[in-house]
């Protein structure tokens, strides 16, 4: 488990899949997202087969949030070419966290 941090403030715990299997499964079969799900080396996602809508943030390699949106179930996203990684969370989470386009975020390993 890692932490998603912005401006020295912890936004959420972050699950980072490392195996191909975990990455491919993503949030499928879940009824909720605890914290954030971070997919590294990713420019687009889909919600085909998902049970819940999610907040999605596309982030460049400098940690700048390029785009945020709410994706409803059974949708295919459009690739964001400059994105390097993607953050997924329960719909409404970004509003609670105060996460916006232009914010700088980082993924920190736990101490």
């Amino acid at each position: 488990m890692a932490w998603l941090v912005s401006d020295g403030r912890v936004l959420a715990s972050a699950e980072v899949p490392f195996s191909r299997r975990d990455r491919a499964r993503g949030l499928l079969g879940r009824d909720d997202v605890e914290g954030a799900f971070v997919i590294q080396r990713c420019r687009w996602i889909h919600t085909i087969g998902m049970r819940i809508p999610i907040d999605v943030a596309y982030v460049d390699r400098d940690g700048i949030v390029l785009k945020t949106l709410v994706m409803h179930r059974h949708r295919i996203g459009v690739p964001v070419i400059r994105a390097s990684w993607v953050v997924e969370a329960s719909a409404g989470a970004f509003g609670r966290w105060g996460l916006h386009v232009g914010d700088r975020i980082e993924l920190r390993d736990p101490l």
Side-chain angles (χ1 to χ4, degrees), residues 49-66:
M50 291 185 62
R51 296 179 180 174
I52 57 171
I54 57 173
D55 282 353
V56 179
Y58 294 90
V59 184
D60 72 10
R61 63 182 159 154
D62 295 323
I64 304 299
V65 177
L66 302 171

Side-chain angles (χ1 to χ4, degrees), residues 32-89:
D32 194 18
V33 183
E34 293 289 328
F37 190 80
V38 176
I39 306 169
Q40 298 174 316
R41 296 175 310 281
C42 181
R43 293 190 170 132
W44 73 277
I45 61 142
H46 68 83
T47 58
I48 304 294
M50 291 185 62
R51 296 179 180 174
I52 57 171
I54 57 173
D55 282 353
V56 179
Y58 294 90
V59 184
D60 72 10
R61 63 182 159 154
D62 295 323
I64 304 299
V65 177
L66 302 171
K67 178 179 181 178
T68 63
L69 65 138
V70 176
M71 280 189 74
H72 296 280
R73 301 170 54 209
H74 311 298
R75 303 287 193 269
I76 297 175
V78 175
V80 176
I81 301 304
R82 291 183 26 231
S84 181
W85 47 295
V86 172
V87 177
E88 300 176 348

